[in-house]
Amino acid sequence: MPRIDTPRLVLRPLGADDIDAIVDGVGNYDVVRWLSQAPYPYGPADARAFIADAGGDLTWAIDHQGRLVGVISLKDDLGYWLARSAWGQGFAFEAAQAALTHWFDDPRRGDMIARHYLDNARSELVLRCLGFRPEGVIQMNALALSQTVDCRELRLTRDDWQARAGFDVSTERLRLRELTRSDAHALVDLTTPAVARMVSSIPESFTVATAKSFINQRRWRGVPGFLVGIEGPDGALVGCIGCGGSPVTAMIFLGEDHWGKGYASEASAAFVAELFDRFPVSAIHAEHFADNPASGNVILKQGFTFVDEHPGTSQARLEPAPVVEYRLTRDAYQAST
């Protein structure tokens, strides 16, 4: 059983020291009501039996900041639970992404199955964003509910998993693709002082060495918190687009030579669609410095609505400056497409 590190989590083998945390997590009715094989009430004896049954199989504790916040397993199918306090932070998707990567890294392994109660919309969204496809509805005995419930069964094939493993999206004129260290020189050329002022994380003095570090820290890893390059019609790098933070916030910048060509709107439309398709986020945020109204026009064109104005900083600015914040919910996006 390997330890698996993700940007925010650690997946590790279960042990006897986890009994209290498991009881606290599964013992919450809001959690256990969605688990078919866990009884309610749930006590230490149930946790001990679960740990003993997990043994050396593909079952991990999910740790966040040194504390167990859930469990994920690929023993018979993909199953997971998160403590109630850990909901709504993207941990289920991040843990499942890592566990499934481990599963499909072994070429001998086949498809993965998952199931969720029909009224569990949160799990349904997580599974579909991972690439699972629905196959049908079955009935399962839910111990905590003392009844039989309808469940949707889904399947993730190796082909579907590999199709979502990288990031490569084409539009009419552009290509959004993963950055590599070889893009460092082009990135330095793009980030002139005028560009750096509008981006919070790029210093005015941007060297090839710092650009390589910048790219490495923001590389594509299958979860929010990455930057990808934007190629123009001739295949040259014209800018970057990415997302990160909590709530998930999108950002984009283009080299000065590529302003006013509609590239920002074209790339943003494709990127927003990809974020909602790949990640189970309920909303995407976007920001721009108030002295950059052109970015505001691009953001509004995608359907974002104004949220707030607050001070923000940029490494290329001497002092804080006003930043305008926007938000686009999944429901609003789906209603408009």
Side-chain angles (χ1 to χ4, degrees):
M1 279 294 296
R3 166 183 163 134
I4 303 175
D5 291 87
T6 76
R8 298 180 297 169
L9 307 172
V10 173
L11 276 57
R12 58 162 179 83
L14 289 163
D17 291 344
D18 296 318
I19 289 174
D20 289 345
I22 293 175
V23 172
D24 287 344
V26 182
N28 185 316
Y29 184 73
D30 286 347
V31 175
V32 74
R33 64 165 300 204
W34 303 110
L35 307 178
S36 64
Q37 299 179 37
Y40 185 78
Y42 190 92
D46 300 304
R48 281 193 293 270
F50 174 77
I51 292 172
D53 184 55
D57 291 320
L58 297 176
T59 302
W60 293 268
I62 304 171
D63 279 0
H64 178 245
Q65 298 180 345
R67 182 175 65 91
L68 185 148
V69 297
V71 170
I72 188 165
S73 174
L74 301 177
K75 184 176 180 181
D76 300 311
D77 52 21
L78 171 62
Y80 60 85
W81 61 264
L82 288 175
R84 184 65 182 85
S85 60
W87 289 10
Q89 301 177 59
F91 291 162
F93 180 87
E94 188 167 328
Q97 177 84 10
L100 289 166
T101 297
H102 174 75
W103 175 265
F104 285 111
D105 277 348
D106 186 337
R108 298 169 298 177
R109 293 184 177 137
D111 300 350
M112 178 54 61
I113 300 297
R115 302 175 182 90
H116 67 83
Y117 295 175
L118 290 187
D119 55 346
N120 191 346
R122 289 185 297 270
S123 281
E124 178 180 14
L125 181 58
V126 168
L127 295 172
R128 294 202 182 213
C129 287
L130 287 165
F132 282 84
R133 297 175 186 261
E135 291 207 320
V137 175
I138 63 172
Q139 288 191 323
M140 296 183 66
N141 184 38
L143 293 181
L145 303 179
S146 299
Q147 66 184 50
T148 299
V149 298
D150 289 334
C151 295
R152 179 169 286 108
E153 187 167 78
L154 305 95
R155 180 182 299 272
L156 177 61
T157 66
R158 180 175 292 276
D159 287 345
D160 284 342
W161 173 255
Q162 291 177 339
R164 300 174 81 86
F167 195 102
D168 197 328
V169 177
S170 295
T171 69
E172 183 179 352
R173 299 179 295 171
L174 308 174
R175 179 189 176 201
L176 282 55
R177 49 86 174 165
E178 297 172 46
L179 288 168
T180 69
R181 288 166 62 88
S182 63
D183 292 311
H185 286 86
L187 190 57
V188 169
D189 291 340
L190 291 173
T191 50
T192 58
V195 172
R197 278 178 52 81
M198 301 304 173
V199 183
S200 62
S201 55
I202 295 179
E204 189 168 2
S205 177
F206 198 45
T207 67
V208 171
T210 55
K212 288 181 178 179
S213 176
F214 180 87
I215 290 169
N216 184 60
Q217 292 171 5
R218 294 160 178 80
R219 68 189 185 279
W220 165 255
R221 289 179 287 184
V223 294
F226 65 93
L227 193 71
V228 294
I230 305 172
E231 287 184 357
D234 61 356
L237 195 70
V238 299
C240 293
I241 192 167
C243 68
S246 181
V248 173
T249 302
M251 60 83 69
I252 183 173
F253 65 85
L254 298 173
E256 287 185 76
D257 292 343
H258 310 290
W259 293 356
K261 299 179 180 180
Y263 289 170
S265 295
E266 187 172 332
S268 296
F271 191 69
V272 166
E274 201 71 11
L275 290 186
F276 279 127
D277 180 59
R278 284 177 176 255
F279 307 121
V281 294
S282 59
I284 301 169
H285 287 238
E287 296 179 341
H288 69 88
F289 284 103
D291 57 0
N292 184 9
S295 285
N297 292 334
V298 171
I299 292 170
L300 290 171
K301 190 179 294 185
Q302 309 311 317
F304 286 76
T305 57
F306 172 81
V307 173
D308 193 14
E309 184 170 318
H310 54 83
T313 60
S314 167
Q315 293 187 39
R317 293 175 183 251
L318 296 177
E319 297 179 350
V323 168
V324 186
E325 181 182 0
Y326 304 82
R327 182 171 183 259
L328 176 62
T329 67
R330 178 180 291 273
D331 290 343
Y333 176 75
Q334 291 178 336
S336 66
T337 57

